Amino acid sequence: MAVAIAVTRERREGETRCAVTPETVKKLIALGATVSVEAGTGLGSSIPDNDYAEAGASVKPDLSAVLAGADVLLKVRGPTASEISALKPRAVVVSLLDAWRDKATVEALRGANATAFAMEFVPRITRAQVMDVLSSQANLAGYRAVIEAAYAYGKGFPMMMTAAGTVAAAKTFVMGAGVAGLQAIATARRLGAVVTATDVRPAAKEQVESLGTKFVAIEDEEFKAAETAGGYAKAMSAEYQAKQAELTAAHIVKQDVVITTALIPGRPAPKLVTAAHVASMKPGSVIVDLAVEAGGNVEGSKPNEVVTTANGVKIVGWTNLPGRIAADASALYARNLVAFLGLMVKDGVLAVDLEEEILKAAVVTHGGAVVHEGVRG
């Protein structure tokens, strides 16, 4: 029988994305699979059930119906307890598990004897680029961060010369020039802001400058070695952080908008903007903290709140920025999943080879055990 793929609606609070679109239903069927979708799965991304049915999926009324006999469960966020309990033994689960922090879900998947893959663990190698959900979602998060900043900011972004006088361009500082940061830089420049940026990775300097943006950083010997083999930022020493903080303090006081994007896998987000930095900013300034869900880059940011400080600075802390542009985020994520499943599904047969380097890097639970060394430790 053809491998049975199930997609349930997202049950985590605030999640508007979905794991499959009508476009990717057709691609999954082309792999030889059958696809069952729970009613209401795509509503947060403006996809009605009929579109799934027309693409060839079976739309089922509830959780038990869609998971009955399913070999593979596709999700955006990790499955809930009710979903895990409905899985058949040895089912494959693919999602953004948040495996570093959500130990309860990992343990439940282990107990259910599921083979669970965390899409956030897909290695950043050339052949896995099409499966890189962190990049696809961060790209949209960086764009949306600027839109949220523009909405919260009480003035325009571009310089405007009018008969009544000139309106100055907003000064925007992007902290962290990974995928999200680079998109934030590009979007802010498109809106007409004067943009500067910083990052601890030396490779970021060239990327920032290629976008026509000034790079701001302490460029010492530690800075030159501040990148892992996987392209992530390393945690910096206290001495470097102190020097960078001094430079940052002198720069932030002049800014209208600050966008922070710094994340270190498996660790709390580094604090980049202190209460003193915030207090130095002008009333009406805006800070958008993309790392708020991992503890935040900004002192005083709160998940899913816009905090207005005593000196009139707004700190925006939305936890799921890709979910605020759900239709595009779902389309990209669903394509990432199809590429990932292509490693396991051939001619309708499910064959999970955990020696394959991408699958080996992404697997978290298998055979009743937590097999990912980092999560297990």
Side-chain angles (χ1 to χ4, degrees), residues 25-33:
V25 164
K26 294 176 183 177
K27 291 179 178 180
L28 292 171
I29 292 172
L31 290 175

Side-chain angles (χ1 to χ4, degrees), residues 15-33:
E15 186 53 73
T16 54
R17 295 171 290 177
C18 56
V20 71
T21 63
E23 173 201 359
T24 61
V25 164
K26 294 176 183 177
K27 291 179 178 180
L28 292 171
I29 292 172
L31 290 175

